[in-house]
Amino acid sequence: MAIITAAMVKNLRETTGVGMMDCKQALSENNGDMEAAIDWLRKKGLSKAAKKAGRIAAEGLIGAVTAGTRGVVVEVNSETDFVARNEQFQGLVKMIAQVALKVGADVEAIKAAKVGEITVERAITDAIATIGENMTLRRAAMLEVGKGVVASYIHNAVIEGAGKMGVIVALESDGKTDELAAFGRQLAMHVAAANPQALDSASLDPAVVQREKDVLADKYRQQGKPENVIEKIVESGLKTYYKEVCLMDQAFVHDEKGKSVAQAVKEAEGKIGAAVKITGFVRYALGEGIDRQETDFAAEVAAASGQKKPPEDPATVS
């Protein structure tokens, strides 16, 4: 039997929005398996926010830059937020994004590329030596179209082109470039806000779709629904799911009447003067998916004062 810690319960609670005791029971029932516990809560009808990804904070900046039919987004991490506010680090991020625009999204190729007399990797090393804090080029992505634009949006911008979240969206069209770029920026803002997981239902990982089907089916089996009814409910549930996670099916955030992104694209084609096809998008949120060692602040304070760590609340740990 796995030991269920307070940290595990807290993580599940933040991910699902479900109460502490239900989260603790879900983890106990599933031997501490986080994904299984999420599914267990959903089958019980307790979790309405199970699709939230765990957002573990990391510091640094996301940089994005576009040039007509090409655009890139990069993530450069640092140890503290103080460095993200350092002008030298900000300049480094913008420089790395510009290099990526030329050489592509391969991290090793970016690091090997030269800026003046030195490589990007050497520039990072020099910045570490000067600023006194470790930093890394974590990832990069590029989008390109034959005809059209790649638009970008930076959320929580620290400087122009760099902030805590970056989005690029590729739009293929023969239409007016200025109108296309304006609409592309709206789409990039939508992606930042709505966090779609795929362009459309056909682009979703089949394993993810199957998991959603299994969760929905098991939930209604537990309620005693017959199989023929469950099949219809699952199909209806999948349509709702697609509206939550697929860009083209999502409600466009810039429209109060609730039109879908697909409908917004069709409407925008009038101003743009030609058909528009969204060929891809990339959304980078700073630090997503990075496991960081949690600091036990109480223990640090106790150690500094020569005292023992305060006992944990038995109500929070099994």
Side-chain angles (χ1 to χ4, degrees):
M1 180 95 181
I3 296 174
I4 310 304
T5 65
M8 291 166 67
V9 174
K10 178 174 179 286
N11 188 11
L12 183 58
R13 185 179 185 184
E14 289 177 349
T15 301
T16 63
V18 175
M20 182 180 73
M21 296 310 296
D22 287 321
C23 287
K24 185 175 178 181
Q25 183 183 358
L27 288 163
S28 298
E29 291 286 340
N30 293 280
N31 204 32
D33 187 311
M34 186 66 67
E35 292 296 325
I38 290 172
D39 288 350
W40 186 91
L41 288 169
R42 296 183 64 202
K43 290 171 187 178
K44 296 292 183 182
L46 296 171
S47 174
K48 294 182 180 179
K51 298 177 188 71
K52 287 184 181 178
R55 297 183 178 92
I56 301 169
E59 304 306 337
L61 286 173
I62 304 293
V65 61
T66 62
T69 58
R70 176 182 281 199
V72 295
V73 59
V74 302
E75 178 174 359
V76 185
N77 294 124
S78 61
E79 291 183 57
T80 68
D81 187 50
F82 292 109
V83 170
R85 298 194 292 268
N86 178 289
E87 288 186 4
Q88 182 182 351
F89 179 76
Q90 292 169 358
L92 179 70
V93 173
K94 292 189 75 171
M95 178 269 287
I96 290 172
Q98 289 288 348
V99 170
L101 191 65
K102 294 178 182 177
V103 305
D106 183 81
V107 168
E108 294 306 316
I110 295 169
K111 290 195 289 188
K114 280 199 167 185
V115 181
E117 297 298 316
I118 64 171
T119 63
V120 169
E121 186 168 26
R122 177 60 187 273
I124 294 172
T125 302
D126 290 348
I128 292 170
T130 304
I131 298 172
E133 186 171 306
N134 190 33
M135 54 195 73
T136 59
L137 169 58
R138 181 190 176 201
R139 54 180 175 165
M142 171 179 278
L143 293 176
E144 192 169 6
V145 292
K147 213 164 193 182
V149 301
V150 175
S152 67
Y153 170 67
I154 292 289
H155 187 63
N156 288 335
V158 175
I159 56 171
E160 185 180 355
K164 300 298 184 181
M165 182 187 293
V167 177
I168 53 175
V169 180
L171 298 90
E172 203 171 72
S173 179
D174 290 322
K176 302 171 188 173
T177 303
D178 55 345
E179 293 288 352
L180 191 62
F183 181 62
R185 178 173 170 77
Q186 283 192 322
L187 283 172
M189 292 173 73
H190 170 96
V191 170
N195 191 20
Q197 304 303 301
L199 184 62
D200 50 32
S201 58
S203 305
L204 279 170
D205 183 345
V208 171
V209 176
Q210 188 59 52
R211 177 184 170 190
E212 188 67 20
K213 285 182 177 180
D214 293 342
V215 167
L216 289 169
D218 287 348
K219 176 180 176 180
Y220 290 106
R221 281 193 191 102
Q222 290 179 19
Q223 295 178 10
K225 304 283 187 185
E227 287 299 319
N228 63 323
V229 174
I230 288 174
E231 188 176 344
K232 292 178 182 178
I233 294 174
V234 168
E235 288 305 313
S236 176
L238 280 178
K239 289 179 182 178
T240 301
Y241 175 67
Y242 295 151
K243 288 179 181 178
E244 293 173 357
V245 302
C246 298
L247 174 61
M248 300 305 289
D249 295 315
Q250 287 179 331
F252 193 40
V253 297
H254 298 282
D255 182 74
E256 296 178 355
K257 296 178 181 178
K259 77 176 72 158
S260 68
V261 170
Q263 290 171 326
V265 171
K266 283 295 179 187
E267 190 174 289
E269 287 176 347
K271 284 185 178 180
I272 294 166
V276 175
K277 180 182 179 183
I278 303 172
T279 61
F281 67 88
V282 179
R283 178 187 187 272
Y284 277 1
L286 183 65
E288 58 190 352
I290 296 178
D291 289 327
R292 296 185 65 191
Q293 184 176 355
E294 292 190 12
T295 302
D296 191 333
F297 185 69
E300 286 187 2
V301 173
S305 61
Q307 299 173 356
K308 291 183 179 180
K309 177 185 174 181
E312 294 186 31
D313 184 351
T316 62
V317 183
S318 62

